Amino acid sequence: MTGNAKIKKAGTQRQQKRRDRLKAQDIKEVTAKLGPVARTMLDESRTIRGGLDGPYDVEEYICTLIREDSARLKGQIADAQRYPCKQCGKTLPTGCGGAFKGELACLHTPTAWKLLIPTATL
């Protein structure tokens, strides 16, 4: 076995150990395709939000956004659960199970609108 083959085999073994470790921790890798505008926005946000400690790395920044949005979503759902549906009299998340979804009197309809993430074209 030549020197290059040994290095290649060692690298393959390290990668396999890394994959095994991530699998054991139930970590899933997610990728995204970002155009130049979105990449610029991401880089600017990571830098500004990182403050004096320097920019967040991409993984840390996205994980933080996910945690923050999840907390916001839970609050929005809790708020919606305080009011029963005018159509069926039940509260979310189950309510009528969406039987009247789309009708204005159904709590699912305005709540679904409120739970959408506001977006702008990038």
Side-chain angles (χ1 to χ4, degrees), residues 27-75:
I27 294 174
K28 180 175 178 160
E29 186 173 330
V30 178
T31 61
K33 292 174 178 59
L34 302 176
V37 174
R39 281 194 319 268
T40 298
M41 291 168 36
L42 174 63
D43 290 339
E44 288 173 352
S45 298
R46 291 184 316 113
T47 300
I48 293 168
R49 298 267 190 215
L52 297 175
D53 293 332
Y56 282 103
D57 66 30
V58 174
E59 182 178 315
E60 181 182 21
Y61 184 73
I62 291 173
C63 287
T64 301
L65 290 177
I66 291 169
R67 281 192 303 273
E68 291 295 316
D69 185 60
S70 178
R72 183 174 39 251
L73 179 61
K74 286 177 185 174

Side-chain angles (χ1 to χ4, degrees), residues 79-121:
D79 186 49
Q81 288 176 329
R82 297 186 321 187
Y83 307 103
C85 177
K86 294 176 186 171
Q87 189 74 25
C88 69
K90 298 177 183 173
T91 60
L92 289 178
T94 54
C96 63
F100 300 102
K101 194 178 253 184
E103 296 181 23
L104 287 177
C106 180
L107 186 60
H108 280 275
T109 304
T111 302
W113 295 335
K114 290 178 186 175
L115 296 180
L116 291 174
I117 297 174
T119 59
T121 304

